[in-house]
Amino acid sequence: MKKYIFHFYLIILSGSLLAQDDGSLALRSKGDSMINLIAREKDLSKRHDLLLSLLTIGWDQDPIYTLIFSKKLYEFGEKTNDIVTIAVAWSYYGQGYRLSGNYVKALECHYTATQAAQQGKNKAVIAQAYNQMGHIYKDREEFRKAIELYHISRLYAEEANSKIFWPYMNLGAVYLGNGQPDSALYFSRLAYQKAVFNNDTLNQYFTYILGNIGDAYSFLKKEKEEMEVQRDILMKMLPITRREGDA
């Protein structure tokens, strides 16, 4: 019996590793394509929009490539003297180190990213930099600090009048982790509304946001509302899922 169980786990592990390899290859293909698009784009405004769209790529599939990508992006920013591109590159350096488990180095990179983003005066990019820094504290369950950083991100996003929804989504998650279901519900609903409004938003975020809404209802013992959310999750479920804080 143990032999069959061992073989079963080998099959599961092999499938998991193959999925990771496929995800890594897809990430590298998307990342290289985006670098080329960014490098060819002469219009600064459009280039910066492309930089913001990088958040929709599943960086958790390959932390090493995330660092390689960051280096390429940083070198392009230096070459073109574009502080906004440099700021985004530092954010992804931070993401790569965070995903590798080096939180000290990740925090250094995110701090540099926020400083560079402030110099660039692009409020949407500043929002992104603070949002990414917030992930460090969310991972470590230092929820008060994470909430502070996500709120800074949210305020810059609102000033930028952009399509950004990630700080709302992340506030919903950390308020839930901090045992504040009313606040979690409020920000998760806002995140869902903004994500639905943006028809270019990837659907996999919906299930994550809805999951937070459902958990908040469960915490508040609102079973009817929780069941309705679970039904919506099943309707929107995709084969691809995202880990917490990928955006």
Side-chain angles (χ1 to χ4, degrees):
M1 184 66 180
K2 288 182 179 179
K3 179 180 177 181
Y4 291 116
I5 292 172
F6 176 71
H7 286 165
F8 173 76
Y9 279 114
L10 274 182
I11 292 168
I12 295 296
L13 179 60
S14 298
S16 176
L17 290 173
L18 285 171
Q20 288 177 2
D21 287 343
D22 288 345
S24 178
L25 288 172
L27 169 62
R28 288 169 182 254
S29 176
K30 288 178 185 177
D32 290 346
S33 295
M34 287 300 295
I35 283 285
N36 291 331
L37 281 173
I38 289 165
R40 289 199 303 266
E41 184 55 68
K42 303 302 180 185
D43 185 305
L44 270 182
S45 179
K46 291 179 180 178
R47 183 193 298 169
H48 296 165
D49 285 343
L50 284 171
L51 291 170
L52 289 168
S53 73
L54 292 172
L55 277 179
T56 61
I57 298 176
W59 297 103
D60 58 299
Q61 298 286 345
D62 193 336
I64 293 174
Y65 176 72
T66 303
L67 293 170
I68 294 169
F69 175 89
S70 305
K71 185 175 185 292
K72 292 179 181 179
L73 195 61
Y74 179 83
E75 288 172 349
F76 175 73
E78 285 273 277
K79 180 181 176 181
T80 56
N81 196 30
D82 182 1
I83 190 65
V84 171
T85 297
I86 290 171
V88 174
W90 277 114
S91 276
Y92 284 100
Y93 269 127
Q95 179 81 329
Y97 283 117
R98 168 188 163 240
L99 293 169
S100 302
N102 189 341
Y103 285 98
V104 173
K105 189 66 177 176
L107 198 54
E108 290 176 4
C109 292
H110 284 310
Y111 180 77
T112 303
T114 59
Q115 297 298 102
Q118 292 281 1
Q119 290 179 43
K121 298 180 180 179
N122 182 312
K123 291 182 178 179
V125 171
I126 297 171
Q128 180 204 31
Y130 278 102
N131 180 75
Q132 298 300 89
M133 184 186 281
H135 296 342
I136 301 292
Y137 295 95
K138 184 184 72 171
D139 286 358
R140 291 158 57 172
E141 296 188 355
E142 296 179 33
F143 294 129
R144 287 188 180 180
K145 184 62 177 179
I147 287 168
E148 176 189 333
L149 291 168
Y150 288 140
H151 271 301
I152 293 172
S153 174
R154 175 185 64 81
L155 291 172
Y156 275 110
E158 289 171 0
E159 288 181 23
N161 194 27
S162 69
K163 296 180 177 181
I164 294 171
F165 67 93
W166 344 291
Y168 302 90
M169 177 179 75
N170 293 316
L171 280 167
V174 290
Y175 273 123
L176 196 61
N178 204 41
Q180 296 173 262
D182 288 313
S183 295
L185 193 57
Y186 175 76
F187 284 104
S188 294
R189 280 173 168 171
L190 283 177
Y192 187 78
Q193 290 167 8
K194 288 177 176 292
V196 169
F197 179 74
N198 300 329
N199 55 19
D200 58 342
T201 299
L202 295 181
N203 287 337
Q204 57 260 41
Y205 289 113
F206 294 151
T207 56
Y208 177 61
I209 297 168
L210 282 170
N212 288 332
I213 292 173
D215 288 344
Y217 278 132
S218 177
F219 202 111
L220 294 166
K221 301 189 184 304
K222 295 186 176 181
E223 295 179 1
K224 180 182 177 182
E225 291 87 345
E226 182 188 358
M227 290 295 292
E228 289 174 354
V229 172
Q230 288 176 357
R231 182 199 62 201
D232 288 342
I233 290 173
L234 288 172
M235 290 176 66
K236 294 181 180 295
M237 188 67 70
L238 294 175
I240 301 173
T241 58
R242 299 189 71 84
R243 56 177 275 171
E244 293 183 9
D246 273 353

